[in-house]
Amino acid sequence: MMTFCTLFDSYYLDKGLTLYRSLENCTEEFQLYIFCFDDKSFEVLNALKLKHAVITHHSEIEDEELLRLKKERSKAEYCWTCTPVIIEYVLKHYKEPDCTYIDADLYFFQNPQILFDEIKDAGANIVITEHRFKDNWNGRRLCKRSGRYCVEFNYFDQSENAWEALTWWKKKCFEWCYHLYEPERMGDQKYLEKFPQLFQGVHELKHLGGGVAPWNLGQYKLRRTGNDRPTLIEKKTGEEFPLIFYHFQNIRYLSENMVNVSSGTHSKETKDAIYRPYLAKIEESRQQLKDYGITFSVKKIYSSNKLIAFLQGNVLRFKVKSISDVYQLKQFRSMEIK
């Protein structure tokens, strides 16, 4: 049984529900602990009665210190602060043998068991996932800003090694967790760079199909697709691999009917194979959530800095690098979803 945890509020409910459905479409052998960061998401998810989900209200994990931090940080920054907290809660409260944090904007195209087979073979207690930025000037710049590792697929078991790392990470996030780029800090993320030096049992996920995202998609090309199960090829090595999960970060809505996916590739074939199934499922989730009175803002804001927040909500979403990154959503609303 694969055990996952994630967190989101009603603003991310379409993505979180789509994440759950993607896992359900790939395997029955999973449990997803969902931590709801507002009352509405908690209410809706309980009403949906998801077979493989355990729904937890944010108040279950919040102590005085977290409530104090909640007042000081943006909604997104507070969620980042709580990432190690929810992993800790699943391990401690639910007594699971291990727990893997996954971002709400992930989507699984194939059974992730292949990733857990790698973890078992490595004898790992902790797993971190590289951004896999391209080895060029821009890639090195991104790595310096955001860190070598991404908080997207992070495994911890009940070992002493894992608890030591998790406790340290939680402490660091409580001390500082902001959407600011500093030499050794950025949100909850750059702390992971210290893991291999400070702790034992740390494994870097090797399977290329775990961790494909806009920041590395340009390094791959589409080999084939069928039944919404894309296979990719790494351009540099020619290595062929199945796409296990994709991180749909940085999708920005230009309007209610138009979205800029910011895919990171100019290959229309590649982005269609990955983004079209996801956008169709997101629209399906949104249609379902309308019955519960859930609506979504086109603006995406996650910084506590007012200037940065303004740019995120009113400027950056209109930054289009490739015209084929813009999708009309009406086509997904009218198509038959299978």
Side-chain angles (χ1 to χ4, degrees), residues 208-222:
L208 294 178
V212 184
W215 51 79
N216 58 40
L217 184 58
Q219 300 173 56
Y220 313 120
K221 61 181 179 180
L222 185 68

Side-chain angles (χ1 to χ4, degrees), residues 130-148:
E130 287 189 82
H131 277 108
R132 301 190 184 109
F133 293 122
K134 193 171 183 179
D135 186 18
N136 58 14
W137 177 86
N138 188 53
R140 289 187 288 273
R141 179 185 68 86
L142 290 171
C143 189
K144 186 176 181 180
R145 280 164 55 92
S146 299
R148 179 176 177 179

Side-chain angles (χ1 to χ4, degrees), residues 90-292:
V90 172
L91 292 174
K92 188 176 290 185
H93 181 78
Y94 292 108
K95 309 295 184 184
E96 294 285 1
D98 56 67
C99 182
T100 302
Y101 169 81
I102 50 177
D103 261 353
D105 52 0
L106 298 190
Y107 184 89
F108 286 84
F109 286 88
Q110 302 200 43
N111 192 334
Q113 183 60 52
I114 190 172
L115 305 180
F116 289 93
D117 291 342
E118 176 187 324
I119 294 169
K120 182 180 179 181
D121 291 344
N125 305 126
I126 305 155
V127 173
I128 48 181
T129 306
E130 287 189 82
H131 277 108
R132 301 190 184 109
F133 293 122
K134 193 171 183 179
D135 186 18
N136 58 14
W137 177 86
N138 188 53
R140 289 187 288 273
R141 179 185 68 86
L142 290 171
C143 189
K144 186 176 181 180
R145 280 164 55 92
S146 299
R148 179 176 177 179
Y149 303 104
C150 183
V151 177
E152 59 175 350
F153 184 90
N154 305 90
Y155 169 96
F156 294 82
D157 65 15
Q158 290 280 11
S159 68
E160 185 178 341
N161 290 333
W163 273 108
E164 187 180 358
L166 187 59
T167 301
W168 179 87
W169 187 27
K170 175 184 170 182
K171 179 182 176 183
K172 287 297 181 182
C173 288
F174 277 33
E175 290 174 359
W176 190 98
C177 191
Y178 297 95
H179 185 249
L180 296 171
Y181 300 104
E182 296 194 353
E184 295 189 356
R185 304 188 296 192
M186 202 296 287
D188 58 348
Q189 199 155 263
K190 290 191 80 172
Y191 296 126
L192 300 182
E193 292 186 340
K194 298 288 187 182
F195 276 23
Q197 297 109 42
L198 295 178
F199 309 109
Q200 299 297 313
V202 179
H203 175 70
E204 296 180 8
L205 193 68
K206 302 302 181 187
H207 196 293
L208 294 178
V212 184
W215 51 79
N216 58 40
L217 184 58
Q219 300 173 56
Y220 313 120
K221 61 181 179 180
L222 185 68
R223 170 66 177 85
R224 63 175 179 270
T225 185
N227 300 320
D228 293 336
R229 301 280 195 265
T231 298
L232 302 177
I233 298 175
E234 186 177 30
K235 295 175 182 177
K236 182 174 65 175
T237 64
E239 180 180 347
E240 184 175 318
F241 60 93
L243 175 59
I244 307 301
F245 71 80
Y246 190 86
H247 193 160
F248 286 91
Q249 190 264 357
N250 214 27
I251 287 182
R252 298 181 184 276
Y253 285 79
L254 303 175
S255 69
E256 291 184 359
N257 296 309
M258 191 179 299
V259 65
N260 172 23
V261 299
S262 302
S263 68
T265 180
H266 291 289
S267 169
K268 186 72 163 58
E269 182 185 33
T270 301
K271 70 183 70 175
D272 277 354
I274 295 172
Y275 281 88
R276 287 182 66 86
Y278 183 70
L279 292 174
K281 292 298 184 182
I282 284 287
E283 288 304 307
E284 183 179 17
S285 293
R286 288 190 166 199
Q287 286 300 116
Q288 183 179 11
L289 292 169
K290 278 184 179 180
D291 294 339
Y292 296 91

Side-chain angles (χ1 to χ4, degrees), residues 36 40-50 55-56:
C36 301
K40 190 64 177 178
S41 58
F42 183 72
E43 173 191 328
V44 171
L45 289 173
N46 273 304
L48 288 172
K49 300 185 184 302
L50 306 176
I55 314 303
T56 304

Side-chain angles (χ1 to χ4, degrees), residues 319-332:
K319 186 178 180 181
V320 178
K321 293 185 177 180
S322 171
I323 193 65
S324 59
D325 275 347
V326 178
Y327 285 85
Q328 297 284 345
L329 296 175
K330 290 181 180 179
Q331 61 181 305
F332 302 112

